[in-house]
Every structure is written in C-alpha cells, then in structure tokens.
Amino acid sequence: PMEYNDIYDKDRKRTGRVHLRGTPWRKGEYGLVVCVWVYDGRGHFLLTRRAKGKSFAGTWENSGGAAKAGETSRQAIARELFEETGLKAGKMELFGVFSGPELHYVYPNGDEVSNVDIVYLCRNYDGSLKCQEEEVEELRFFPADALPEYPLHKKERWQFATAKTPVYRDHPNIA
C-alpha cells in the first residue's frame, strides 16, 4: 500500500497537504520525523544500526522514522519503536524538538528533505529485542558516556549535544 506523510511548513504547522513517500519533497516542505532514546535505567541507551541497502547504511542511530499522515508524534514513535526493535513503549517524555540545517539531507539519488524531529525519552518498555531485518542490522545498548563516535549518525550527536541546553518548543502535533 502507498504511504503518505503530512506536510509541514517552516513554522512547523501542518499544511493540510500530504506527501507520497518515495517521491521528491518540494522546497519549503517539511516532514515530521520521530525518534526515541530508549534508556535502560542503568546508564545505557539503545541504538540501532541501519541495515545494508538503506541510506546511511551501517550508521548507529536511535529508533525512529517518518510519521504517517494523520499520526501524532507519540503514535508514530510507538509504532516505529515496536517495528524496529520489538519493544513496546511505556510512558515517554519529550526530549526535544529539533529542526534546521542540521536536519536537511541530500540522499544518494539527489532527493532532498528537511525534517522536524520530535524526540522522546523512553524509560519504561516491555518486550524482547528483535531487529526489523529490512531496516535494522543490529541492536545494542551503549553507555551514555561511550556512544560510538563513528559511525553515529550526525543527528544523534547533534540531539545529544543540544539537549544539554534545552531548546524545546511547543509543537501542534504533540499529543
């Protein structure tokens, strides 16, 4: 089935239009991306290693992905976390809302996208770790003071550094 994403403007407002996944984004259109830092309560964070054949293959990142049209950020991250890791999220708290040039990507095929990332922290979860084979090559908990320097995806390094000085903003899609 075809998958659609809501389109946001530069002010992080939903436009009422949708984007067909896999097609190029227009300049000035933004997609909502959700991410979650899963914390084990013992000083470790869960990272996923992107599968071969994916853009940025082999890089470590937190779980997440694009919100589908009509999904709230919390619905989207609960779905993404379960799909990618097999974990069911309990209570999540807002870690931060991030946008800007650091979240502008040019893919190998030339497509460009600018994202608004809503990032959560999950301390309570159930389930057993299980990789979503087409998306995730490996799952591993890392000590917070020993996250892999490379190949840690640039957005994770930026989120972690930026979150030390809170820059959170309200977002209309947080439910």
Side-chain angles (χ1 to χ4, degrees), residues 121-138:
L121 177 63
C122 178
R123 300 172 196 263
N124 303 312
Y125 51 87
D126 291 317
S128 300
L129 290 177
K130 182 178 190 269
C131 291
Q132 181 185 20
E133 291 180 19
E134 61 275 8
E135 297 279 332
V136 177
E137 182 176 301
E138 183 180 354

Side-chain angles (χ1 to χ4, degrees), residues 3 5 21 32-36 38 46 48 50 54 61-68 71-89 92 130-132 135-136 139:
E3 187 175 310
N5 313 101
R21 186 171 184 153
L32 176 62
V33 173
V34 292
C35 306
V36 63
V38 176
L46 178 64
T48 64
R50 292 181 66 91
K54 298 289 294 176
E61 62 182 359
N62 51 14
S63 289
K68 295 179 181 178
E71 279 185 321
T72 66
S73 58
R74 288 182 191 270
Q75 289 167 332
I77 196 53
R79 175 185 50 77
E80 287 284 349
L81 181 63
F82 182 72
E83 287 174 358
E84 291 180 2
T85 71
L87 298 180
K88 292 183 182 176
M92 292 182 285
K130 182 178 190 269
C131 291
Q132 181 185 20
E135 297 279 332
V136 177
L139 300 164

Side-chain angles (χ1 to χ4, degrees), residues 8 33 49 121 138 142 160 168:
Y8 290 78
V33 173
R49 186 173 220 151
L121 177 63
E138 183 180 354
F142 287 90
F160 221 65
Y168 311 153

